[in-house]
Amino acid sequence: MSTIPTETVQPGKASLLYDPKIRGYVYQLALLAVVGFLLYSAASNAITNLRAQKIASGFGFWHNAAGFDVNQKLIPFSASGSTYGQAFYVGLLNTLLVASIGIVLSTFLGFFVGVARLSSNWVLSKLAMIYVEVIRNLPLLLQLFFWYNAVLKPLPNPRQSIELPAGALLNNRGLYLPDPQLGPGGSLIVWTFLIGIVATIIFRAWARKQQEATGKQYPVGWIALGLIVVLPFFVYLVTGRPVSFVYPEIAGFNLRGGIQIFPEFVALLLGLTTYTAGFIAEVVRAGILAVSKGQTEAANALGLRAGPTLKLVVIPQAMRVIIPPLTSNYLNLTKNSSLAVAIGYPDLVQVFTGTVLNQTGQAVEVVAITMAVYLTISLVTSFFMNIYNKRMALVER
Amino acid sequence: MTDATLENSPYAFVRKETLPQETAPLSVAGPVAWVRANLFSGPVNSILTLLCAYIVVTSVPEMVRFYFIDAVWSGTNRDACLADKIGRPVGACWAYIGDRFQYFIYGSYPVPQRWRVNIVFAMFALGVVWLLWERAPLKKVGFFFFFVMLPIGAYVLLLGGPNAEGFLRWLIGLTLVLMVVYLVLSFVPALARFWIGPAFLAVEEALPPWKRFYRPKRLVLLSLVVFGLIAILADTIGLPRVDTGLWGGMTVTFLIAAVGIVFSLPLGVILALGRRSKLPIIQLLSVIFIEFVRGVPLITVLFMANTMLPLFVPQEYSPDRLLRPLVGVALFAAAYMAEVIRGGLQAMPKGQYEGAMSLGLGYWQMMRLIILPQALRIVIPGIVNTFIGLFKDTTLVTIVGIFDFLRTIEATLVDPTWATPTTRATGYAFAAMFYFLCCWGMSRYSISVEKRMAAGQKR
C-alpha cells in the first residue's frame, strides 16, 4: 500500500508584490520620500535664493524699529520708537476687534433674515429672499469696494459733515461720536452697571434652577432691564449727572474731539456683517426647517403663541442643526476679515503681511506667522464651538 | 309605525333642485383674503408689511430712475455723463461701460490677437455645454475635452510664442504615435492581448477593424483634430507670444476659475481618498494639508504663492506672475473640494464597497468604477457650491496685482477720461451684474441637478 502524498496547500504565500500590507508600506514610503524631497529642495532653494538676495533670515526683525504709523490702534504705537513686533500686535488686535464685532452683528442680522424668510408675511419673506440671493452671489471684495469707495468715500468733507442725532458727525474721514467724560462720582455709574450685569447673570441662573425645581417662572427680562439700565440711570441722577460729553467740532480743515471711527473699519464691518449674515440666514432657515412640523403644532396645541413657540420650542431644537455650519461661518468671517488689505483697514494682513513684509522682505517668516495666527484662531474657535455643540447636542439613550 | 322618510314627513322642507354655485366669500379666497392672510394677519405683521413697503417704495423707484431713466447710454468721454454739460440730472453712465467693454473682456491683450481669446472662449463654452447639458452625446469625450484638451489648447493659444508652438508640435507627434499604435493594435488584435485585458478583447474582436479603431480611440482622434486646427492657425496666422502681464479682464477671471476647477476636482478626489485611506501616513498627510489650507484665509495663500513660491524653486524656473496665484487658488480649492467629496464617500453604503470587493475588484478599480461615480453624483450640489465660492474668490487675485475683471473696473475708475460722479456706481453695478449672473446661474443649475436626482429617489 502506498500513501498518496497529499499536496499541502499554503494559503497566502503569494508573491510579496501582491501582499496588500507590503504594498501599503511601499506606497507610504514612496509618498514620504516624495514629500521629504519636496520639502528638502524647497528649503535648500529658499536658502540659496535668500542668500543671493541678501535677505536676512530668522526673527531678528521682530525687535527692529518700524518706521511707519497706523491710523487705528488699540495699543500705543507710533512711527518713532515702535517695533515690528508691536505692529504685529496692533494688526492682530484690529483683526480680532473687527471679527468679534462682526460675528455678533452678523449673528443677529442672520437670525433675523433667516426667520424673516420663513415668515408668513409675503413681502417680508420676499425681501429676505432677495437679500440672501443678492448678497450670496456677489464677491465679498466687490461688496467691500462698494461700501468703501461708493458709499463712504463720497461723503462730504469734514467741514460739511452730516449731523446725526446726539451730536455725532459723519464725513469722509469717518464717524465722530461724542466722547463721554466722567466727572467726580462718575465711576460709580460704571461700577453699578457692571454689578448690574453680574447680578443679572446670577439671577438668571437662580431663576432657571427655581423653574426646573418648582416650575415657577420669574420675569428675568424685566429684572435684567432694571438692574442693567434703570439702576445705573438712577445712580446717574443721584450723583448729580457727572457725565459730560466732548462733542466733535470743526477746527480748521478737520474735526477735533470725540471718538473717531475710521471709514475703513466701518466699511469692513458693514461688508463682513451683511455678507456673512446672508450665509447665516440660510443656515438658520435650514435649521428651522429641520424641526418637524409636529413640534410647532404641539406647541400651538399647548396654547403657546407664535413668539414663544419660536423661542422656546423651535429655535432650541434648530440650534442642533445650526451650530456646526454656524461655526464655519464664524471662521469664514474671521478669515475674510483679511480682505481688509484691499481697503486699507490696518488688520493683521495689511499691517504685517503687507507693510512689514514689504519693509523687511522676510517673506517666509512673516507669512508663516500670519498663517499660524489664523490657524490658531480657527482651532480655538472650533474648540469652543465644539464644547457648546456638545452641550446642545441631542442626547439619545 | 310610519316610515319617517323625507318624502312623507309632514314638516320636512327639502330643496329638490340644485342651487347655482356661489363664489367663495371675499374673506376666504381671492386677492383680499390673500392680502389679509399674508400681509395683515396681525398688528405685528401689519407693521412689518408697512415697513417693508416703505423700504421698497423709497428704494426701487430711485434705483430705476438712476439706472434707467436718467442713465446716459451713449457718448465718447466724460462730457456725456456730466450733469452741467448735458443739462439734466445724470444717472448711471452706461456709455462708459460701452466704451470700455473690450477692456473689461480682454484687459490689455493686444487688439489684433484677440481672436485667440475668442477661440478659447468658444472652446470653453462648448466644453461647458457638453458637460452640463444632460442629453449631450459622448459625455466621456466631453470630459476629456474639458479637462485635458481645453487647458492645453488654451495654454498654447493664449500664450503663443516659440515655446508653446514647440510644445504643440510635440503633442501632435505624441498623438500621431498613439494613433499608429492603436491602428496596428486594432487591425492585428493578437498584438493587443498585452495591451488590454482578454475579456475586453473578446468584445473588441467581434467588431470589424475600423469600428475597433474608432470605438475606444475617439479621444486620440479628438486631440488630433483640436491640436491640428490650432497648428493650422499657428502656421497660417501665426501665434506671437503674448506675455501674461498683458492678460486681463474676464479672460483672466474665467482662466483662474477654470484652472481652479480643472485642478481642484482631481486633486480633491485624491485628497479625499487619502483622508479615508487606512494607511496612516497617507491619511495624516492628507489631513494636515486639508486642515491647514482650510484654516487660513485665501489671501495668505495668495501672498505665500506670490512671495514664497519664487523662493522655493531655483531662480531659473521662477514661476510666471500669473502662474503663482493660479497655483494658490487651485490648492486652496482642492482642500475645500476634498471635504465635499469626503462627504459623498461617507454617504456610500458599505454594501457598495463589499459588492465591489466580492467582484474581485482592486482598490483603484473599485473606486473608479463603483464608488466615485456614485459619490460624485451625490455631491454635485456641493461641488457646484465650491465652484461658486471659487468664482467669487477669483476677485482676490486683485490684491496680489493680477488684472482680473474687478481690477480692470477699478483701473478704469481712476482713468480721467471717464471720471464722473456716477462712473463708480455704474462700474460696480456692471461688475455686480456679471458676478451675479455667473454665480446665480451656477446655483440654479445645481438646484435643477438636485431636483433631477431627487426624481429617481421619490417614492
Side-chain angles (χ1 to χ4, degrees):
Chain A
M1 221 192 215
S2 60
T3 50
I4 305 162
T6 47
E7 263 184 86
T8 46
V9 182
Q10 286 181 330
K13 273 284 174 194
S15 156
L16 281 181
L17 208 59
Y18 293 105
D19 188 341
K21 234 182 187 167
I22 307 274
R23 276 193 162 192
Y25 286 130
V26 172
Y27 285 147
Q28 299 194 63
L29 281 180
L31 183 68
L32 264 188
V34 170
V35 172
F37 173 74
L38 283 179
L39 287 181
Y40 169 75
S41 57
S44 63
N45 281 328
I47 290 169
T48 19
N49 284 335
L50 287 175
R51 218 170 267 156
Q53 293 171 20
K54 297 206 169 56
I55 296 174
S57 57
F59 294 93
F61 71 98
W62 196 259
H63 298 291
N64 292 355
F68 62 93
D69 200 3
V70 176
N71 60 10
Q72 181 185 318
K73 47 213 166 190
L74 300 175
I75 52 174
F77 186 85
S78 64
S80 55
S82 291
T83 63
Y84 289 129
Q86 282 163 320
F88 167 79
Y89 289 115
V90 168
L92 178 61
L93 285 177
N94 281 342
T95 291
L96 293 178
L97 177 76
V98 77
S100 49
I101 298 179
I103 283 176
V104 174
L105 291 183
S106 64
T107 307
F108 280 117
L109 186 59
F111 266 77
F112 173 73
V113 176
V115 173
R117 246 195 112 168
L118 292 169
S119 158
S120 62
N121 189 320
W122 186 83
V123 190
L124 187 63
S125 71
K126 286 293 170 235
L127 273 186
M129 190 190 82
I130 292 172
Y131 171 83
V132 169
E133 286 290 327
V134 169
I135 289 288
R136 286 184 358 134
N137 282 318
L138 295 180
L140 176 57
L141 191 61
L142 177 64
Q143 297 186 31
L144 288 180
F145 280 158
F146 169 77
W147 288 116
Y148 186 61
N149 291 334
V151 175
L152 295 177
K153 274 285 140 183
L155 285 174
N157 61 32
R159 292 187 70 82
Q160 281 103 37
S161 295
I162 301 168
E163 288 184 28
L164 298 175
L169 293 175
L170 185 66
N171 57 49
N172 60 8
R173 299 227 181 126
L175 177 67
Y176 290 76
L177 299 176
D179 192 3
Q181 302 285 323
L182 295 179
S187 58
L188 208 59
I189 302 175
V190 179
W191 281 113
T192 333
F193 177 72
L194 291 177
I195 290 170
I197 291 179
V198 174
T200 307
I201 295 172
I202 295 171
F203 175 73
R204 191 166 159 266
W206 178 81
R208 170 171 284 186
K209 233 177 214 151
Q210 285 293 306
Q211 192 187 347
E212 278 168 6
T214 64
K216 195 166 181 306
Q217 286 184 354
Y218 292 86
V220 177
W222 288 110
I223 288 176
L225 186 76
L227 282 173
I228 296 177
V229 178
V230 179
L231 204 61
F233 185 69
F234 187 68
V235 174
Y236 168 71
L237 291 182
V238 166
T239 49
R241 305 181 187 180
V243 181
S244 60
F245 288 96
V246 174
Y247 290 98
E249 54 193 25
I250 294 161
F253 289 105
N254 210 340
L255 292 179
R256 198 174 47 201
I259 302 170
Q260 184 185 9
I261 299 177
F262 290 91
E264 292 83 13
F265 177 77
V266 178
L268 185 64
L269 191 63
L270 269 174
L272 284 176
T273 304
T274 50
Y275 186 74
T276 314
F279 288 84
I280 292 180
E282 285 298 272
V283 168
V284 169
R285 188 172 73 104
I288 291 178
L289 285 178
V291 177
S292 85
K293 199 157 183 288
Q295 297 287 329
T296 316
E297 290 166 348
N300 288 343
L302 288 176
L304 288 184
R305 292 207 218 159
T309 303
L310 197 66
K311 206 181 95 190
L312 298 173
V313 178
V314 177
I315 296 275
Q317 298 189 62
M319 281 317 274
R320 293 180 184 135
V321 185
I322 291 174
I323 288 173
L326 192 63
T327 310
S328 22
N329 274 315
Y330 287 167
L331 291 178
N332 280 342
L333 186 144
T334 311
K335 285 187 279 171
N336 281 337
S337 70
S338 58
L339 264 63
V341 69
I343 56 171
Y345 171 73
D347 82 321
L348 180 64
V349 171
Q350 206 261 347
V351 172
F352 201 59
T353 322
T355 316
V356 174
L357 173 57
N358 276 341
Q359 290 196 1
T360 62
Q362 293 193 297
V364 181
E365 292 86 356
V366 169
V367 173
I369 291 175
T370 315
M371 286 186 151
V373 167
Y374 280 102
L375 270 181
T376 316
I377 294 176
S378 284
L379 292 177
V380 171
T381 312
S382 347
F383 177 72
F384 282 112
M385 288 305 275
N386 277 336
I387 292 179
Y388 183 53
N389 187 28
K390 225 168 240 164
R391 268 183 52 191
M392 298 292 285
L394 190 62
V395 182
E396 280 189 331
R397 276 185 288 263
Chain B
M1 253 186 163
T2 52
D3 271 351
T5 62
L6 290 175
E7 296 298 325
N8 57 15
S9 80
Y11 304 113
F13 172 77
V14 177
R15 199 193 286 274
K16 297 261 171 47
E17 70 279 14
T18 312
L19 281 178
Q21 206 160 43
E22 280 193 48
T23 50
L26 275 180
S27 59
V28 178
V32 177
W34 184 89
V35 165
R36 270 182 60 171
N38 289 310
L39 301 181
F40 298 101
S41 61
V44 179
N45 236 343
S46 307
I47 293 171
L48 282 174
T49 305
L50 291 179
L51 208 66
C52 294
Y54 174 76
I55 294 173
V56 172
V57 166
T58 48
S59 62
V60 171
E62 187 68 16
M63 280 172 69
V64 170
R65 191 188 61 71
F66 184 83
Y67 283 112
F68 296 100
I69 298 172
D70 284 351
V72 176
W73 299 90
S74 60
T76 50
N77 58 26
R78 67 194 292 262
D79 288 350
C81 293
L82 287 176
D84 45 343
K85 287 263 161 61
I86 61 170
R88 68 175 174 89
V90 170
C93 185
W94 294 113
Y96 141 77
I97 301 288
D99 184 47
R100 284 309 164 115
F101 198 65
Q102 297 264 323
Y103 182 64
F104 294 148
I105 295 178
Y106 304 105
S108 313
Y109 210 88
V111 179
Q113 300 297 326
R114 284 182 182 173
W115 56 270
R116 286 153 62 172
V117 184
N118 290 338
I119 291 180
V120 173
F121 272 136
M123 279 170 74
F124 185 68
L126 176 72
V128 166
V129 170
W130 201 339
L131 283 187
L132 298 192
W133 186 35
E134 200 192 342
R135 275 169 300 174
L138 300 175
K139 270 283 160 77
K140 279 185 185 164
V141 185
F143 253 95
F144 182 74
F145 178 77
F146 190 82
F147 284 97
V148 181
M149 307 303 304
L150 183 60
I152 297 174
Y155 165 73
V156 173
L157 271 175
L158 288 180
L159 194 63
N163 276 348
E165 283 183 42
F167 179 59
L168 183 67
R169 267 193 289 280
W170 180 80
L171 278 174
I172 291 178
L174 180 75
T175 331
L176 278 174
V177 169
L178 269 180
M179 191 159 126
V180 171
V181 169
Y182 277 131
L183 211 63
V184 172
L185 287 182
S186 53
F187 281 89
V188 193
L191 279 180
R193 215 163 291 268
F194 307 104
W195 191 276
I196 33 181
F200 204 57
L201 207 65
V203 183
E204 290 278 291
E205 270 173 8
L207 298 168
W210 66 88
K211 268 262 168 77
R212 272 195 306 243
F213 176 74
Y214 164 75
R215 246 175 30 104
K217 284 91 199 172
R218 291 171 185 136
L219 305 183
V220 179
L221 281 178
L222 179 77
S223 354
L224 207 61
V225 170
V226 174
F227 293 148
L229 284 177
I230 297 176
I232 291 171
L233 280 176
D235 283 346
T236 51
I237 317 179
L239 294 178
R241 186 179 160 89
V242 180
D243 271 319
T244 53
L246 296 174
W247 303 13
M250 282 180 203
T251 316
V252 164
T253 292
F254 280 123
L255 176 83
I256 297 168
V259 167
I261 289 169
V262 166
F263 284 95
S264 71
L265 202 53
L267 211 54
V269 168
I270 291 173
L271 282 170
L273 290 178
R275 190 163 187 168
R276 284 176 57 78
S277 163
K278 288 200 187 69
L279 307 174
I281 294 176
I282 293 183
Q283 194 195 15
L284 184 71
L285 287 178
S286 309
V287 170
I288 289 177
F289 179 84
I290 294 173
E291 293 303 331
F292 178 77
V293 174
R294 276 160 42 92
V296 298
L298 176 55
I299 292 213
T300 58
V301 176
L302 288 177
F303 268 117
M304 180 168 144
N306 214 28
T307 55
M308 283 162 76
L309 213 54
L311 288 180
F312 286 155
V313 294
Q315 203 87 69
E316 56 272 27
Y317 300 119
S318 188
D320 183 86
R321 276 195 65 79
L322 182 61
L323 185 64
R324 298 176 204 169
L326 285 182
V327 173
V329 167
L331 291 182
F332 190 77
Y336 279 81
M337 198 62 82
E339 286 297 276
V340 172
I341 294 168
R342 181 164 78 114
L345 290 175
Q346 283 175 347
M348 274 297 101
K350 201 150 183 277
Q352 295 288 334
Y353 291 90
E354 290 164 351
M357 285 182 212
S358 72
L359 287 177
L361 297 183
Y363 178 79
W364 289 108
Q365 281 175 317
M366 171 169 83
M367 286 301 164
R368 190 167 56 87
L369 299 172
I370 311 283
I371 304 295
L372 278 178
Q374 299 185 67
L376 288 181
R377 192 172 302 157
I378 298 179
V379 292
I380 285 180
I383 293 177
V384 177
N385 267 347
T386 315
F387 287 168
I388 296 177
L390 171 66
F391 191 77
K392 288 192 290 177
D393 282 346
T394 56
T395 50
L396 300 200
V397 298
T398 300
I399 295 170
V400 290
I402 305 296
F403 265 80
D404 78 322
F405 176 62
L406 192 57
R407 181 72 179 269
T408 55
I409 296 231
E410 283 283 301
T412 53
L413 290 180
V414 294
D415 175 8
T417 327
W418 282 105
T420 72
T422 62
T423 309
R424 198 171 278 280
T426 316
Y428 287 152
F430 179 64
M433 280 192 302
F434 169 72
Y435 284 109
F436 184 83
L437 282 182
C438 293
C439 297
W440 193 73
M442 281 194 266
S443 76
R444 288 292 107 179
Y445 176 77
S446 103
I447 289 173
S448 81
V449 169
E450 221 169 326
K451 278 198 181 131
R452 204 165 68 213
M453 290 189 312
Q457 302 288 321
K458 247 182 215 151
R459 296 197 171 102

